Amino acid sequence: MIKLKTPEEIALMRESALIVSKTLGMLAKEVKPGVSTLYLDKLAETFIRDQGAIPGFLGLYDFPNTLCMSPNAQVVHGIPNDKALENGDIISIDCGALKNGYYGDHAYTFEVGEVSEKTRRLLQVTKESLYQGIAAFKTGNRVGDVGHAIQQYCEKEGYGVVRELVGHGLGTTMHEDPEMPNYGRRGRGKKFAEGMVVAIEPMINMGSHRIRQLKDGWTILTEDGQPSAHFEHDVALVNGKPELLSTFAYIYEALGIDSDEEVPFRQTPLVI
Ligand code: MG
Ligand code: MG
């Protein structure tokens, strides 16, 4: 069942989305060669608790940490460890937080030091596909329209769109209806309605879409060992249009990146 949110609930969800956005912004300055994912995880846990929120993933389905940290060929759900990041790595950081009873859920794939042009392209296209998907999240459209937009955009580059893992509705639980696949057919699936809040999160492989899981029961990685990228925003359907609740602005501020990519998806000005 899809739980539609009132404007008051959406305002609370914006607060949770901004906490995870700020957390990734804080981490953006810390991601560099020589730093371990476990170190970053501890920084994030402290940061989230200092904002009066609770880490959203810690203990969820028994996940052992605050962040899902998935480097290189890992797609999602990687477990932080004490291995140092290396120059040329990419690292997907997925962050959840719970405040006022509502979840935020947000992910960005960071470059560690100098990354190859081919890998940078994967990150760029995956992030662009996220906005293609968000643009299709509007009144009159259906779940398949978002998936179709993302799939088309990535497959024309020759990339593989992961099938087994999907975006989702978001609210008082981390995963609500509807499922939001990153593939699909136009005009198919559940219809979008005012007050829906979803996490849209393309998981895109440089090579085949096929994945496998490590014996740890969590880590998902590409079957062919090629890199995978993952970006995630929380979006509400307001006035028939997508309204971004999360933001990469804190990351861009930390990294000195100038971007207006979020402007078309903001009816409420972002105050950071
Ligand atoms: Mg996430
Ligand atoms: Mg998610």
Side-chain angles (χ1 to χ4, degrees):
M1 192 190 73
I2 296 174
K3 295 183 197 157
L4 302 176
K5 276 76 180 179
T6 63
E8 292 73 24
E9 287 178 292
I10 290 173
L12 291 174
M13 292 197 69
R14 186 188 300 279
E15 206 178 312
S16 302
L18 287 178
I19 288 172
V20 283
S21 301
K22 286 177 191 173
T23 307
L24 291 189
M26 178 277 292
L27 291 171
K29 293 179 215 153
E30 305 289 338
V31 171
K32 51 194 151 197
V35 163
S36 80
T37 51
L38 196 56
Y39 169 75
L40 297 172
D41 185 78
K42 294 299 165 208
L43 286 183
E45 180 174 358
T46 303
F47 188 88
I48 289 168
R49 293 193 192 283
D50 284 349
Q51 317 262 330
I54 297 167
F57 298 158
L58 186 64
L60 184 70
Y61 316 120
D62 289 329
F63 188 76
N65 289 85
T66 293
L67 301 173
C68 293
M69 305 282 273
S70 311
N72 303 321
Q74 293 188 10
V75 180
V76 286
H77 301 167
I79 298 174
N81 59 34
D82 55 11
K83 189 172 171 283
L85 293 170
E86 292 179 22
N87 186 51
D89 284 350
I90 55 170
I91 175 86
S92 152
I93 305 184
D94 195 344
C95 180
L98 176 65
K99 189 169 183 184
N100 301 317
Y102 292 91
Y103 282 96
D105 184 14
H106 194 42
Y108 193 90
T109 303
F110 293 89
E111 300 172 19
V112 183
E114 283 295 316
V115 169
S116 76
E117 198 49 51
K118 198 178 168 195
T119 302
R120 291 188 74 164
R121 176 89 187 135
L122 172 68
L123 301 189
Q124 186 192 333
V125 169
T126 304
K127 183 153 64 72
E128 288 169 358
S129 81
L130 168 60
Y131 292 106
Q132 295 287 321
I134 290 170
F137 180 57
K138 58 185 183 186
T139 300
N141 273 2
R142 291 171 182 268
V143 165
D145 292 292
V146 168
H148 179 80
I150 293 169
Q151 182 179 17
Q152 287 284 107
Y153 197 80
C154 294
E155 287 187 348
K156 72 177 167 46
E157 298 283 331
Y159 297 150
V161 177
V162 172
R163 301 295 200 274
E164 294 85 345
L165 298 143
V166 297
H168 48 93
L170 187 69
T172 54
T173 51
M174 178 65 81
H175 298 114
E176 295 186 353
D177 281 341
E179 288 197 340
M180 296 286 294
N182 298 303
Y183 57 93
R185 293 170 67 179
R186 274 197 195 121
R188 297 294 179 94
K190 286 181 179 157
K191 210 171 185 176
F192 297 137
E194 188 76 9
M196 276 178 74
V197 180
V198 294
I200 301 179
E201 48 178 319
M203 290 156 261
I204 306 299
N205 299 347
M206 187 181 280
S208 162
H209 68 78
R210 291 179 183 281
I211 56 167
R212 64 190 181 91
Q213 188 173 38
L214 287 186
K215 287 206 182 73
D216 64 17
W218 281 106
T219 311
I220 303 291
L221 60 175
T222 60
E223 198 178 81
D224 63 12
Q226 293 200 68
S228 183
H230 177 215
F231 293 85
E232 177 178 29
H233 267 314
D234 302 337
V235 198
L237 192 52
V238 177
N239 301 320
K241 294 183 290 190
E243 167 76 354
L244 270 181
L245 303 182
S246 55
T247 178
F248 294 140
Y250 298 101
I251 295 173
Y252 294 156
E253 191 184 27
L255 300 180
I257 294 170
D258 213 13
S259 171
D260 56 5
E261 68 193 23
E262 297 180 357
V263 172
F265 309 113
R266 267 188 209 295
Q267 299 165 57
T268 307
L270 178 68
V271 183
I272 67 168

